[in-house]
Amino acid sequence: MSAPTRRDDAAKTPHDLWQQAVRIRQEWLDHALSTQPADKPTAERCLTAVYARASRPRPRFEWVDSPAKALPLVSGWPTLDRLHERIRAVRPPRTPLLASDIAMVVSQLRGALSAGVVHTDPELSPARRGKAKEPWPELAPQRAFDGGVPLAVVLHQGVRVALHRSLAHGFYLPVRAALAGDGPVPVCWYGQQDASWIAYYDVLRRLGLARYGPDEAGHLDTWADLARSCGWWWPGEEVCVVVDRPQVIRIEPVPGTPHDRVRLRPGGVRYRDGWQPLLSGVGADPG
């Protein structure tokens, strides 16, 4: 970024930067809710790069039309409880599970990205106010700025937290719960619905509020391209099971939320094989 561009960014008011962030957030929400067919070559390229980061060779890719179609193919693969048991074990097994390695890769990336943020990143260190160190309230943006809430906090609440609530509580957690009717679902990633953390660091970069090194920037771009190209995916040592994007997604606004949260409507998602999960608790306020 050139010096004149940095001066231009510095001259913008928090409100100007917030309006820019809202436009970028909408871009990412559109990707997260896209019903276009998967971009399989891009998804496979990105997943191969993710495997390489975890010191694994390119897997064989098995594409399916819905998470329900994926379940028989990933039967017996590790669940979150199994991963936690291995972490807590007195003598952890020598051979790490791929899902654990990928989770560690993502955690390290997010830490490195936060280190490149020009302000103290609320993702790592929640910002607090006053001598009592109380959390900043979550308010509508203009009220927040008028009340002295820092731009960094508004961006975190309005991009990272808002998208996570829309995509997790408003989409993949209810769908996963419907999928788990017969037992725990093996560990997976959510492709397009993993967009909340990716969007957050992309917003900071595009607003000039973060400076990432070439490796971190390239790694973020891999996850960004992956979120733009496919649905859920389950990583196995030899095969990666990847779900196409849904055929139909219908959403509605969540009333009374300050950052344009959305959620699936009842019966609001149908996959390409006709699977339409029975949803419950969609968009419940996580508190």
Side-chain angles (χ1 to χ4, degrees), residues 17 23 33 49 67 135 142 155 172 183 203 217 237 281:
L17 291 170
R23 291 190 290 271
L33 302 176
Q142 193 55 57
L155 288 171
Y172 68 70
V203 164
E237 290 289 348

Side-chain angles (χ1 to χ4, degrees), residues 43-100:
E44 292 183 8
R45 170 180 59 79
C46 293
L47 287 166
T48 298
V50 169
Y51 269 63
R53 292 272 182 176
S55 302
R56 302 302 202 282
R58 176 186 171 94
R60 176 172 60 85
F61 293 101
E62 188 75 31
W63 284 87
V64 294
D65 286 336
S66 73
K69 282 285 178 65
L71 275 191
L73 301 177
V74 300
S75 177
W77 290 18
T79 63
L80 193 59
D81 286 345
R82 183 178 165 195
L83 294 188
H84 287 161
E85 287 173 4
R86 289 171 66 98
I87 293 170
R88 292 192 297 265
V90 176
R91 294 183 179 178
R94 292 183 180 180
T95 305
L97 294 173
L98 174 58
S100 293

Side-chain angles (χ1 to χ4, degrees), residues 213-231:
D215 186 64
E216 290 79 14
H219 196 179
L220 175 61
D221 289 341
T222 295
W223 284 92
D225 287 346
L226 183 58
R228 295 185 186 106
S229 62
C230 68

